[in-house]
Amino acid sequence: MLQVWALAGIGEITPGADLTKVVLDAADEPFRDGDIVVVTSKIVSKAEGRLLAADDREDAITRETVRLVASRPSPSGHVTRIVENRLGIVSAAAGVDASNTPEGTVLLLPEDPDASARRLAEGLREATGARVGVIVTDTLGRAWREGQTDHAIGAAGVHVFEDLRGTTDAEGRPLVVTLPCVADEIAAAADLVKGKAARLPVAVVRGRGDLVGDLDLPGARSIVRPAERDMFRLGADEAYAAGLAAGRATAD
């Protein structure tokens, strides 16, 4: 049986905060082998001092961007930018967050979310003796679908994929490409109890201990699709413009 619950009583996180202690102090029962602790990236960033003084959020987005994927002007005159950030994540605004931060500042994603997850997992395992995993999450949109869900951007001690290739379905047919991204599924499940405005940044998922393993398992960075396998690397307008420019260059 899968159980998911949020940890209450976690206050405002300040730079330098010990997240292992924060999580342990909020835990309402001892951790067990196979538990997965799911932490929103916002408190990880705050603990790591990723606050940036920036009157203009757009400048911060530009600094975090390595590639523009698509952009669209809104009726208000604001331009929405879908970009690849330095972590390889494609998202709106490069993950730069201006909500629940002091006036005149923005919050950047953790420098290395996998390393952040590993530090927390190491701390929790050492303090409790329980073999727990950690997932760090952020809220992202999805291509072709409205709305947003939480995704894993950092992971430690957790198998981020459940590889079903080579097994068979209920009818005995072989599964050839089935590779569920269970880290993203766990991140989304945890968000159902954490919410967006309830100040519940940490959740525990219990019941999938089969996914918890050694701390040297591949992290969430392995979820990012390599460029050579990306069939939709540009937005429609950007791809059209690039193709038109290439055609004109060839004609010339």
Side-chain angles (χ1 to χ4, degrees):
M1 179 178 67
L2 191 70
Q3 298 174 281
V4 187
W5 70 94
L7 302 185
I10 296 177
E12 181 63 24
I13 302 298
T14 56
D18 182 346
L19 289 185
T20 298
K21 184 176 186 305
V22 168
V23 171
L24 290 173
D25 287 348
D28 47 5
E29 62 175 271
F31 288 112
R32 302 179 188 175
D33 286 346
D35 284 348
I36 301 174
V37 178
V38 184
V39 183
T40 181
S41 61
K42 180 166 289 189
I43 67 167
V44 176
S45 292
K46 287 183 176 181
E48 295 179 355
R50 297 286 289 162
L51 279 168
L52 177 70
D55 293 328
D56 186 353
R57 178 171 175 249
E58 297 301 315
D59 288 343
I61 294 170
T62 299
R63 290 173 56 177
E64 290 291 288
T65 295
V66 298
R67 179 173 65 90
L68 177 67
V69 176
S71 63
R72 293 288 186 279
S74 68
S76 65
H78 173 76
V79 176
T80 298
R81 285 186 281 171
I82 307 299
V83 304
E84 179 185 341
N85 67 14
R86 55 186 173 72
L87 298 170
I89 298 170
V90 175
S91 67
V96 176
D97 195 349
S99 63
N100 296 315
T101 61
E103 189 69 28
T105 65
V106 295
L107 194 64
L108 309 181
L109 290 176
E111 188 75 32
D112 184 343
D114 283 333
S116 302
R118 194 174 306 112
R119 284 192 294 271
L120 180 54
E122 288 172 343
L124 292 174
R125 290 187 180 198
E126 181 178 349
T128 66
R131 196 167 187 249
V132 301
V134 171
I135 291 177
V136 177
T137 69
D138 193 36
T139 303
L140 304 173
R142 288 88 31 82
W144 306 297
R145 300 180 73 84
E146 297 289 354
Q148 303 84 32
T149 63
D150 266 22
H151 292 65
I153 66 166
V158 178
H159 291 275
V160 297
F161 297 109
E162 186 172 23
D163 194 348
L164 300 179
R165 295 171 297 184
T167 63
T168 57
D169 66 12
E171 302 299 326
R173 289 184 290 266
L175 300 175
V176 179
V177 297
T178 307
L179 188 71
C181 184
V182 287
D184 281 350
E185 293 176 333
I186 290 169
D191 193 47
L192 292 174
V193 298
K194 291 194 285 103
K196 298 302 180 192
R199 294 189 181 276
L200 297 170
V202 180
V204 180
V205 176
R206 177 173 292 168
R208 287 305 310 263
D210 58 303
L211 298 176
V212 176
D214 295 337
L215 293 179
D216 60 356
L217 286 170
R221 190 67 183 254
S222 65
I223 299 171
V224 177
R225 177 169 287 146
E228 63 271 17
R229 297 212 307 269
D230 186 353
M231 296 175 67
F232 307 99
R233 194 155 173 79
L234 291 175
D237 290 351
E238 288 73 19
Y240 177 84
L244 182 63
R248 286 175 172 169
T250 301
D252 292 342

